[in-house]
Amino acid sequence: MLEFDLEIDGASIRISKFEQENKDLPVLIFLHDSLGCISLWKNFPNQLAETANCNSIVYDRVGYGKSSPFPPKKRDNSYLEKEADILHRIIQELNIEKAILFGHSDGGSIALIAASKYPEQIIGVITEGAHVFVEEITLDGIREAVIAYNTTKLKQALEKYHSDKAEAVFQAWANTWLSNEFRNWNIESFLPSIRCPVLVLQGENDEYGSEDQVSSIAGKVSGASTKKIIPSAKHSPHKETPDIVIKEASEFIRTLRGLRNESAL
């Protein structure tokens, strides 16, 4: 594993890179959720990369983990699209020609927007618990998280990973999603422009989204789509049922490679 910082628009972004002997393999890019970071992925990215025979990159978005703090400007409804633009810059800066995006929750939404806006280097997308519109179940889950943040050791747990940025990380998520302005947030208009294959994963008992999210993504993208509901899992199947997610994701990646010229991969 190699960790380094990449500067984009004056902000430092921490990147963790896993590279096998064959540097020409596709690159799995892991996009964390609204409270996540590199460390919270644990060993899952390496396990999937090794199983699927890919290289991988995990990074902390600005405001998270070991990257720079959030800029002072308040988030607006386009914040996930802006993150997709930054992802595109990272792909360019690191000269990645064949990217497969694995996005969890907010990371899944970012992956979908990026695949829509910047299809040239993205050959496939895997989403896990992604959102494309706001649901009451999502807001209820966030309200419960706010109670937990104020009454349990959740804040201390986040500080372990985000240090003095933990308060800003939590409030940015909760305040944005629970605001009146965000009720109309919707990225379904991006989906028809996605022409690469998409694997849509979601836990059967996801507390932050219904299967309507899955149906919308799988039904509206233009590329081939596969949807998989993970039995008994909640919002983070890669943590709760990693073997199932690795199996589904690696099979999807092998299919991607079969669709392209194997010598080019």
Side-chain angles (χ1 to χ4, degrees):
M1 296 295 298
L2 172 66
E3 284 206 4
F4 59 95
D5 294 320
L6 182 67
E7 186 169 311
I8 292 181
D9 294 335
S12 176
I13 296 175
R14 176 59 59 93
I15 293 176
S16 179
K17 185 177 183 181
F18 169 78
E19 199 166 66
Q20 305 200 57
E21 289 186 11
N22 183 356
K23 296 181 180 181
D24 293 327
L25 292 171
V27 179
L28 274 166
I29 302 179
F30 292 86
L31 307 165
H32 63 73
D33 65 309
S34 53
L35 302 179
C37 63
I38 292 170
S39 298
L40 277 164
W41 283 104
K42 306 295 185 184
N43 198 43
F44 176 79
N46 286 358
Q47 291 176 325
L48 179 54
E50 289 178 343
T51 302
N53 193 29
C54 291
N55 297 320
S56 71
I57 282 174
V58 192
Y59 71 96
D60 293 334
R61 297 197 295 276
V62 171
Y64 300 83
K66 296 180 181 179
S67 290
S68 294
F70 288 120
K73 187 177 180 181
K74 182 182 176 182
R75 274 184 177 175
D76 59 26
N77 286 17
S78 65
Y79 83 97
L80 293 171
E81 183 176 356
K82 292 174 182 174
E83 292 293 350
D85 295 340
I86 293 172
L87 169 60
H88 176 61
R89 291 281 301 279
I90 292 172
I91 289 173
Q92 288 183 312
E93 292 288 337
L94 299 181
N95 298 313
I96 297 171
E97 296 181 357
K98 300 179 289 287
I100 302 168
L101 308 181
F102 188 111
H104 176 221
S105 194
D106 265 17
S109 305
I110 294 166
L112 292 169
I113 298 171
S116 174
K117 293 184 68 174
Y118 307 108
E120 293 82 7
Q121 287 84 33
I122 298 171
I123 64 172
V125 172
I126 303 168
T127 66
E128 181 190 47
H131 300 95
V132 291
F133 52 85
V134 179
E135 293 183 285
E136 198 59 36
I137 185 176
T138 312
L139 303 181
D140 286 342
I142 296 171
R143 293 184 187 107
E144 290 184 14
V146 170
I147 294 172
Y149 186 78
N150 292 324
T151 60
T152 71
K153 295 184 177 180
L154 176 57
K155 181 177 180 180
Q156 292 92 318
L158 290 176
E159 287 173 343
K160 177 181 176 182
Y161 297 99
H162 302 291
S163 189
D164 58 357
K165 297 191 287 288
E167 177 77 11
V169 165
F170 187 85
Q171 298 303 336
W173 171 56
N175 292 343
T176 300
W177 277 80
L178 295 178
S179 68
N180 290 330
E181 295 83 4
F182 205 71
R183 293 299 182 101
N184 294 325
W185 174 82
N186 188 302
I187 60 168
E188 290 175 296
S189 62
F190 287 99
L191 301 179
S193 298
I194 300 175
R195 303 194 178 281
C196 66
V198 179
L199 171 63
V200 189
L201 304 175
Q202 184 158 302
E204 178 184 25
N205 302 318
D206 192 327
E207 67 273 38
Y208 289 106
S210 76
E211 291 185 24
D212 289 344
Q213 303 281 350
V214 175
S215 298
S216 177
I217 298 168
K220 289 183 168 63
V221 298
S222 295
S225 66
T226 305
K227 55 185 180 180
K228 175 69 177 181
I229 304 300
I230 311 296
S232 302
K234 298 175 76 173
H235 190 55
S236 303
H238 72 277
K239 296 180 181 178
E240 302 155 31
T241 56
D243 291 346
I244 295 176
V245 175
I246 287 172
K247 177 179 180 294
E248 295 292 335
S250 59
E251 288 179 355
F252 172 76
I253 292 167
R254 280 194 285 271
T255 301
L256 284 181
R257 300 178 70 164
L259 290 174
R260 296 169 63 88
N261 184 340
E262 184 64 23
S263 64
L265 294 175

